[in-house]
């Protein structure tokens, strides 16, 4: 497609995806860099209407403040950004949840159709595999047919693999109601949504209920957060070169309920547009710990991730020698392996109400 016929969204994707030169970040709304548009009129601070409460089941605090700063964007009614409200400990816990607990049966991953994933965590296997002999077997041709898939032509998935190699190919896992990427329906059964993760998402949904509307930049979130339940979700795993093309999440029946996400690890450019690809999107810098909620009008908006930035993961996640890492190692024996992964990846976990 020629440059002239490209949509405004596509043009923005290409601009930020380009690797031959450092991208121009001038127009990127970056709440951690005071010199950008963020300091101007692109965003407005809002008051959260409820405290962010940690689930009582956890022995530590998830949130560093009960009412952290939160923002809405002028051009995108309903999009709420809470810059990293988490404690360092919480980010480690979330990373561990996304890497060890989420990508396990009965949750499905992009690898499920092709490999007999072990019931224990692939991450732990990768971290602890003492010998290069411990491989994960690929499914038989019959199994893949039963799952409604055929093996890719290039025979990418035809031999048993080391857990560490498979971990590098992990792209997504689905939570709760399992999403079928072919039919674009939730028709593949269900797994229990992690109770603590759901409690976290509910706390966010409640806190952003009806943020104050008395302004020229309304937050436009009329949804009553008390009604939110995480029924389905996706964990996306990005390596330094991974991208996510612009799309709208519209399978859910309850499009008035927010789509809530948090990100851990590397920073990225997140593009948010409108209900058509023809509107020029706004570029946001999302950093480790940032929470984003797509409510109201923005729930129907095109969005995507054209760029992940290498070397931007915070030290407390990515450098085993930094800060209170002894505590992390005590809680998670494989912490060195986590740190290695998190120094080179971004994880995004999101939740939706479907019905
Ligand atoms: O990685 C992100 O921040 C966006 C994820 C997303 O758009 C999705 O899972 O539908």
């Amino acid at each position: 497609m020629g440059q002239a016929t490209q949509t405004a969204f596509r043009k923005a994707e290409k601009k930020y995806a380009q690797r031959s030169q450092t991208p121009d970040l001038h127009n990127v709304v970056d709440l951690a860099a005071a010199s950008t548009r963020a300091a101007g009129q692109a965003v407005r601070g809002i008051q959260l209407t409820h405290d962010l409460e940690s689930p009582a089941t956890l022995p530590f605090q998830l949130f560093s403040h009960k009412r952290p700063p939160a923002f809405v964007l002028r051009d995108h009614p309903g999009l709420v950004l809470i810059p990293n409200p988490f404690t360092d400990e919480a980010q480690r816990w979330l990373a561990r949840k996304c890497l060890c607990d989420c990508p396990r049966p009965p949750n499905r991953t992009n690898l499920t159709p092709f490999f007999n994933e072990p019931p224990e965590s692939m991450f732990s296997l990768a971290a602890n595999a003492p010998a290069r002999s411990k491989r994960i077997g690929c499914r038989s041709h019959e199994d893949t047919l039963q799952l409604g898939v055929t093996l890719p032509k290039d025979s990418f998935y035809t031999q048993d693999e080391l857990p560490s190699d498979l971990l590098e190919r992990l792209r997504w896992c689905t939570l709760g109601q399992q999403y079928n990427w072919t039919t674009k329906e939730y028709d593949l059964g269900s797994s229990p949504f992690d109770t603590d993760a759901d409690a976290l998402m509910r706390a966010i949904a409640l806190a952003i209920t009806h943020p104050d509307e008395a302004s020229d930049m309304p937050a436009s979130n009329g949804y009553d957060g008390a009604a939110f339940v995480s029924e389905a979700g996706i964990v996306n795993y990005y390596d330094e070169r991974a991208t996510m093309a612009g799309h709208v999440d519209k399978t859910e029946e309850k499009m008035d309920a927010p789509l809530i996400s948090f990100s851990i690890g590397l920073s990225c450019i997140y593009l948010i547009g409108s209900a058509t690809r023809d509107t020029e999107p706004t570029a946001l810098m999302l950093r480790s710990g940032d929470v984003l909620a797509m409510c109201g009008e923005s729930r129907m908006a095109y969005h995507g991730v054209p760029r992940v930035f290498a070397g931007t993961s915070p030290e407390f996640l990515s450098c085993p020698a930094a800060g209170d890492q002894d505590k992390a190692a005590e809680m998670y024996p494989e912490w060195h392996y986590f740190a290695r992964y998190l120094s080179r990846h971004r994880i995004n976990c999101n939740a939706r109400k479907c019905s």
Side-chain angles (χ1 to χ4, degrees), residues 234 236 238 244 247 249 270 303 305 346 348 350 352:
I234 303 174
N236 297 297
Y238 298 79
M244 182 177 285
H247 63 282
D249 297 77
Y270 175 91
H303 58 283
V305 177
R346 168 176 187 263
N348 169 266
N350 57 61
R352 311 111 197 268

Side-chain angles (χ1 to χ4, degrees), residues 111-125:
L111 302 170
T112 304
F114 308 109
F115 291 96
N116 292 306
E117 293 162 301
E120 67 268 46
S121 139
M122 182 165 59
F123 191 90
S124 303
L125 277 186

Side-chain angles (χ1 to χ4, degrees), residues 197-212:
D198 174 44
L200 160 63
M201 297 299 190
R202 283 181 199 230
I204 296 166
L206 193 63
I208 60 172
T209 297
H210 305 300
D212 60 315

